[in-house]
Amino acid sequence: MHIVFIMEKKIIEKKLVIVGAGPAGLTAAIYAARAGLDPLVLEKGLVGGQVAVSSIVENYPGYASISGAELSAKMRDHAQSLDVEIDEFDAIERAELSDSAKRIITESKIYEPTAVIIATGAVPKPLLVRNEARFRGKGIHYCALCDGAAYKGKTVGVVGGGSAAVEEALYLSNIAEKVIMIRRKSSFHAEKAILKRAERTPNIEILYNTDLIDVGNSADENKESNGGGDFLDYALVSDTRTLEERKISLSAVFTYIGSAPRTELLRGSVELDKYGYIEAGDDMRTSVDGVFAAGDVRTKKYRQIVTAVSDGAIAALSAEKYIMQKTGKN
């Protein structure tokens, strides 16, 4: 490793920098470390990615049931047992990626890697209802594992139509008195096994053909309340067939309506699709020579933990081959 100081920031040359410490990034780090590439993992958020805040994982080989936090901790421990460096506290300011040169500028350092693996994942999409910002953290949540315990014995809502929404409803059913699933269509696109479990759970009610219009606090209607209450206590929903609106008494709404890729720093550097996901082939190669993408951040049909792990392994193997060719050690 070669270090130079410039403009009060160290310039550090690395063989491989991995951006993101979710399942894809950690797997890439494990494979890269075993290949002797001495990878550096940069992560500005939570190590483990979205898995770390998942309540229960029941579709990962080798574990009939395991919490997301425990699974992500095992992945991290595995990487660190191979002396992988994970930098959680140095946010990336910008990335300059081209075929001929690569620079990742953080708050305190400048990295000049031979190869880069982008594994930044995706973040939950917002509800886009009028009062979302007002009640964010005060009744609107995006992680049942993080915030569900605050609603013990209360009625909560879950919005979404995929497996993640159903899984979180099942998790919340063990905490809340009642869980109301708000589904704007007449069916789910979740795994059949977990959907059946939800349908058989006594305190889960599913409202099909129902759209969430807004959330609020009943004190809002009282002009003497100075703007209403601080926490939401109802959801306004609409029947998608009749357009009839009604209020549902709820203490919280947990939303699982999809994700948006974390690719803001990459616009103009690598090719993205119309939704902002990185275009990458089966070998994880992007439009920039020496830059690879893995996990939920890339274009793909299925986004699961196992597919992210697979991507990470392939990205590391592809990066190893690229680095060996660049350094003449193939």
Side-chain angles (χ1 to χ4, degrees):
M1 181 172 68
H2 181 62
I3 301 177
V4 179
F5 289 86
I6 185 170
M7 297 184 297
E8 300 182 353
K9 285 188 179 183
K10 290 188 294 184
I11 294 181
I12 304 175
E13 295 180 355
K14 298 285 291 184
K15 290 180 180 178
L16 177 64
V17 169
I18 300 167
V19 184
L26 291 174
T27 302
I30 290 168
Y31 272 71
R34 289 174 58 86
L37 299 181
D38 186 28
L40 167 69
V41 180
L42 298 176
E43 174 56 71
K44 71 172 184 177
L46 186 66
V47 173
Q50 293 299 308
V51 175
V53 295
S54 298
S55 53
I56 298 295
V57 176
E58 296 181 328
N59 57 1
Y60 193 80
Y63 298 99
S65 181
I66 186 172
S67 73
E70 186 179 2
L71 181 58
S72 61
K74 288 181 179 294
M75 292 181 180
R76 176 178 184 157
D77 290 346
H78 189 173
Q80 292 185 322
S81 74
L82 297 170
D83 296 323
V84 171
E85 180 184 358
I86 302 175
D87 189 343
E88 304 174 59
F89 308 106
D90 200 9
I92 296 175
E93 293 180 345
R94 71 180 187 276
E96 300 172 355
L97 306 175
S98 69
D99 292 343
S100 58
K102 294 155 188 66
R103 271 194 163 198
I104 297 177
I105 297 91
T106 70
E107 291 178 343
S108 63
K109 302 179 184 71
I110 298 174
Y111 294 100
E112 294 186 342
T114 303
V116 177
I117 295 175
I118 306 297
T120 46
V123 294
K125 290 181 180 178
L127 283 169
L128 300 179
V129 297
R130 183 173 59 88
N131 280 320
E132 182 169 15
R134 173 184 167 188
F135 291 109
R136 185 175 294 123
K138 297 180 179 180
I140 288 184
H141 304 280
Y142 310 91
C143 171
L145 181 63
C146 308
D147 305 306
Y151 299 96
K152 184 176 181 179
K154 298 182 178 180
T155 299
V156 300
V158 172
V159 178
S163 294
V166 181
E167 287 171 353
E168 297 310 297
L170 287 165
Y171 173 77
L172 288 165
S173 71
N174 295 315
I175 299 171
E177 179 180 4
K178 185 176 182 179
V179 178
I180 299 176
M181 297 200 70
I182 302 171
R183 177 62 177 144
R184 66 187 309 272
K185 296 183 179 181
S186 59
S187 62
F188 284 86
H189 51 85
E191 294 178 17
K192 292 181 179 179
I194 60 172
L195 181 57
K196 286 182 179 179
R197 282 178 54 196
E199 291 172 338
R200 292 195 300 262
T201 302
N203 64 332
I204 293 181
E205 178 184 358
I206 302 176
L207 301 180
Y208 289 103
N209 300 303
T210 302
D211 199 11
L212 180 71
I213 302 300
D214 206 353
V215 294
N217 184 282
S218 54
D220 293 346
E221 299 173 3
N222 183 352
K223 295 182 180 180
E224 298 178 359
S225 65
N226 296 320
D230 292 332
F231 294 85
L232 74 82
D233 63 12
Y234 73 83
L236 179 65
V237 299
S238 172
D239 187 305
T240 58
R241 298 159 300 182
T242 66
L243 302 183
E244 180 183 358
E245 295 184 1
R246 63 189 177 100
K247 289 182 179 179
I248 302 173
S249 294
L250 294 174
S251 296
V253 172
F254 291 83
T255 175
Y256 301 91
I257 56 173
S259 301
R262 289 173 165 165
T263 53
E264 297 84 0
L265 292 171
L266 303 173
R267 295 186 182 279
S269 294
V270 299
E271 185 176 343
L272 307 177
D273 71 6
K274 63 181 180 180
Y275 301 107
Y277 290 92
I278 299 174
E279 296 276 11
D282 291 341
D283 57 2
M284 307 301 140
R285 293 177 180 271
T286 70
S287 59
V288 178
D289 200 26
V291 178
F292 307 85
D296 289 359
V297 74
R298 81 176 185 94
T299 52
K300 56 196 300 185
K301 186 173 182 179
Y302 299 111
R303 292 183 170 84
Q304 298 288 314
I305 303 172
V306 290
T307 63
V309 167
S310 173
D311 285 0
I314 295 169
L317 294 171
S318 294
E320 178 192 12
K321 183 177 180 180
Y322 172 82
I323 291 168
M324 293 302 102
Q325 290 173 341
K326 291 290 288 186
T327 56
K329 295 181 180 180
N330 53 322

